[in-house]
Amino acid sequence: MTGPHISSTHPQLHPTMEETRFSWLRLMRSRRVGVATFHRLIAEFGSAAAALEALPDIAREAGEDNYTICPADRVEAELRRGAAAGARLILKTDPDYPPALAEISDAPPLLWARGRIDLAGRPAVALVGARNASSLGQRMARAMAADLGEAGFVIVSGLARGIDTAAHLASLQGGSIAVMAGGVDVVYPAENAALADSLVAQGLCLSEQPMATSPRGRHFPARNRIISGLARAVVVIEAAGRSGSLITARDALDQGRDVLAVPGHPFDARAAGCNMLIRDGAALVRGARDVIDAIGPARDPVPSQPALPLEDAPAAAAPPPPGEGGLRETARLHMRILDRLGPAPVAEDQLIRDLAVPAARVAPVLTDLEIAGKIARQAGGLVARN
């Protein structure tokens, strides 16, 4: 087997590891071996090499007498093409395989990657939407992508026209990942070739498809599960009632990810999918701040410093007086608390943790809202919205 001697852009590995990489690719490219079958074969036989040996017998038992595994020269050709494109083959067992993606039940056994693979290990939000996006929709995608990037999130999308393109362009500086429906070396649509080059240089392009594969209709739903799998949440900005973005949203729900949507005018067909998602329970978002309020910050807050002895402690800063931000900040906190609460009671300490605001700031605001009749406290430290 000549596969282990093919040059590639991933760090040179021990020959046994190179053989494993070759065998994994060969097994995944064999006929009738999909993601679920691949994982089952590895679990049953312990290695891709052993599964490849057993595959013809398994096919014969299933009634196919002339089954052959993927030819070695085809695997060698794909590895050569990957090396020529500057792509790396990442196995699910590799340390730099995206950790969030590894959690999903149908995680791709292998990925071709071009660009900064380190981005796949950072907290991410997926922004998806219509290809024929409106000007307002594209403006929203640009603003949300830029603001989430500043907040520490990598943006994941699908390199399509419209919302995807706007999101990638606005997030290049903060971190952008494009999941491609075809091969990682085949740009679709072709008009995004320059954007793809920028992503390879500054961001990351990923695909589970063989190198040189032109995307087909069946590839896009499979691509969508990777988009949602990489992200902590999926935000749908514009989507028609029967949109591929809704497939991504369903994948996200199946994977335990948050689904959020930007509302639109009922007469705009491009908003029908978003409005349906909101009707069915997706969080309504108007910008990056709403997304962060819903899913939490990209990074855990910095732990507070240990309290100083009383005699060394600095004097507490006085709260800002009305007219210098105090009232405005309190009003914002009012809205955040009311947005978080519903008729079902929530533990007050859990609410405070979700808000990531000091308890000393939240307590008087809760009292104000209770006096105003907007919330109700219940036994056991619970609070609910009236």
Side-chain angles (χ1 to χ4, degrees):
M1 183 180 291
T2 59
H5 304 294
I6 298 296
S7 62
S8 67
T9 55
H10 60 70
Q12 190 62 34
L13 302 173
H14 186 278
T16 302
M17 293 298 294
E18 291 288 353
E19 290 167 5
T20 298
R21 195 172 299 276
F22 190 92
S23 297
W24 273 52
L25 185 58
R26 192 176 189 184
L27 179 60
M28 194 63 210
R29 300 298 183 241
S30 294
R31 276 191 310 119
R32 298 192 177 182
V33 177
V35 170
T37 301
F38 182 97
H39 289 308
R40 179 175 60 79
L41 290 171
I42 293 293
E44 183 174 351
F45 294 98
S47 72
L52 284 166
E53 289 183 10
L55 206 49
D57 290 337
I58 295 172
R60 194 175 301 111
E61 290 174 3
E64 185 169 348
D65 294 328
N66 298 317
Y67 184 89
T68 55
I69 63 176
C70 177
D73 58 356
R74 179 179 155 196
V75 178
E76 292 164 2
E78 182 171 352
L79 289 170
R80 281 195 296 270
R81 179 143 188 157
R88 289 180 56 193
L89 184 64
I90 310 295
L91 306 189
K92 190 171 181 285
T93 52
D94 288 346
D96 47 5
Y97 187 93
L101 187 61
E103 297 172 356
I104 70 173
S105 61
D106 53 352
L110 48 85
L111 293 165
W112 280 108
R114 297 177 71 200
R116 294 179 50 196
I117 190 62
D118 63 289
L119 291 176
R122 288 172 45 189
V125 172
L127 300 185
V128 298
R131 288 175 170 80
N132 64 332
S134 68
S135 296
L136 282 175
Q138 293 185 56
R139 189 192 308 174
M140 171 64 79
R142 288 193 297 269
M144 193 176 291
D147 291 345
L148 287 170
E150 288 183 5
F153 288 98
V154 170
I155 300 303
V156 184
S157 201
L159 199 63
R161 296 184 183 94
I163 296 299
D164 292 19
T165 296
H168 285 308
L169 286 170
S171 60
L172 282 171
Q173 295 300 319
S176 192
I177 300 176
V179 185
M180 303 169 77
V184 76
D185 57 338
V186 178
V187 179
Y188 179 85
E191 67 201 53
N192 275 346
L195 173 56
D197 288 342
S198 296
L199 284 161
V200 170
Q202 299 173 256
L204 176 64
C205 293
L206 293 174
S207 177
E208 67 177 332
Q209 297 300 329
M211 300 294 296
T213 300
S214 296
R216 299 286 184 264
R218 68 181 183 277
H219 296 149
F220 289 92
R223 182 274 309 268
N224 292 347
R225 88 187 192 287
I226 300 177
I227 292 176
S228 55
L230 286 165
R232 185 183 295 183
V234 171
V235 181
V236 185
I237 294 179
E238 281 186 340
R242 301 183 66 181
S243 165
S245 298
L246 301 187
I247 297 175
T248 311
R250 286 196 293 272
D251 287 337
L253 291 173
D254 291 342
Q255 295 163 354
R257 277 38 172 174
D258 287 305
V259 175
L260 310 95
V262 176
H265 196 285
F267 287 169
D268 187 347
R270 289 170 296 201
C274 292
N275 292 340
M276 285 193 300
L277 287 172
I278 293 168
R279 179 199 64 191
D280 294 339
L284 183 155
V285 293
R286 302 155 297 175
R289 184 69 260 168
D290 287 344
V291 176
I292 297 168
D293 286 346
I295 69 173
R299 301 177 183 87
D300 292 333
V302 177
S304 58
Q305 295 297 318
L308 295 172
L310 257 179
E311 59 271 21
D312 297 328
E324 294 185 16
L327 292 177
R328 185 178 293 115
E329 288 302 317
T330 299
R332 288 199 189 104
L333 189 52
H334 274 220
M335 292 307 300
R336 287 185 62 195
I337 290 171
L338 292 175
D339 287 344
R340 289 273 180 174
L341 293 177
V346 175
E348 185 174 325
D349 58 351
Q350 181 63 54
L351 173 64
I352 292 170
R353 284 196 297 271
D354 290 345
L355 292 167
V357 174
R361 281 192 59 203
V362 176
V365 175
L366 288 175
T367 301
D368 291 345
L369 291 171
E370 183 181 16
I371 293 170
K374 294 183 178 180
I375 67 169
R377 294 180 189 269
Q378 301 180 12
L382 302 178
V383 60
R385 185 168 178 171
N386 282 334

